[in-house]
Amino acid sequence: MVDHVAGENVNQVVDSGKGVPGAPTAPPPDSPGYELPLLLFGGFRTLIDRLHTRLADEGHPDLRPAHGFAMQAIGVRGATASEIGRRLGVSKQAAGKTVDRLLALGYAERADDPADARRKLVRLTPRGYDALARSAAGFDELRAEWCAALGTDRVRALEADLRNVVPEETAFRLDATSWLGGA
């Protein structure tokens, strides 16, 4: 995870020689601690970027990662803007902005809450459900590619190891946008 600007490495904790001709490419036996989160994030970005390339090819060119988090927060029963904001860890206003974009793109719609006529729910449209279904299929294919490259047992072991070190209550939190910088 290094940005290259005019041949210089930026946005890294320490310049470990990456990108330098003749520098070793294999990490030292004990890699520096900062590499682990960068590699995990790099894996995440690789999966998300490849998924969104595929989604664009399949008719969802305007869908962004934040939209996927928001659609997950909306869920199958729908949610209010306040609920979406809480689930994402962002303000009601930030959630509302993302919801407005989902509405404009046809992924969501507003509807009266049958339990409380004063409330408006945001619900996914068939287009929103299609995007989520295609995302799920895409992630399955991407995981299969990792299995082909690394071996199924290694991928399963990686997943098991991550389940062991990631607290259960944070494993599937949707509020990544709150610490990545906005919905």
Side-chain angles (χ1 to χ4, degrees):
M1 296 290 302
V2 176
D3 294 331
H4 297 281
V5 177
E8 295 181 36
N9 294 336
V10 295
N11 294 338
Q12 60 185 10
V13 178
V14 175
D15 185 354
S16 62
K18 290 183 180 177
V20 176
T25 56
D30 272 337
S31 296
Y34 70 85
E35 283 191 350
L36 178 60
L38 293 175
L39 289 168
L40 289 169
F41 187 68
F44 172 79
R45 276 295 306 264
T46 299
L47 291 169
I48 297 298
D49 290 348
R50 291 195 56 215
L51 175 73
H52 280 270
T53 298
R54 173 189 165 136
L55 288 172
D57 291 343
E58 294 179 358
H60 298 282
D62 296 322
L63 200 60
R64 300 292 174 258
H67 300 149
F69 284 111
M71 288 193 294
Q72 291 291 332
I74 292 167
V76 295
R77 292 186 182 94
T80 66
S82 294
E83 291 168 334
I84 295 166
R86 256 191 319 278
R87 293 173 186 170
L88 293 174
V90 299
S91 69
K92 178 182 174 182
Q93 293 77 14
K97 194 173 177 183
T98 301
V99 166
D100 288 343
R101 187 70 183 137
L102 290 174
L103 294 168
L105 294 171
Y107 291 103
E109 62 189 5
R110 281 200 170 86
D112 291 331
D113 184 342
D116 184 347
R118 298 169 295 175
R119 290 180 5 141
K120 289 285 188 186
L121 290 179
V122 178
R123 295 184 189 267
L124 296 176
T125 63
R127 181 168 171 75
Y129 284 115
D130 179 66
L132 288 179
R134 290 176 185 272
S135 294
F139 280 128
D140 287 344
E141 287 184 19
L142 290 167
R143 184 184 182 279
E145 289 177 16
W146 280 38
C147 288
L150 302 174
T152 301
D153 290 342
R154 287 187 69 193
V155 172
R156 285 182 184 151
L158 174 62
E159 291 166 337
D161 289 344
L162 289 170
R163 284 185 193 101
N164 283 331
V165 296
V166 175
E168 187 175 331
E169 65 275 7
T170 62
F172 296 102
R173 283 177 48 188
L174 298 175
D175 67 347
T177 54
S178 68
W179 54 266
L180 289 175

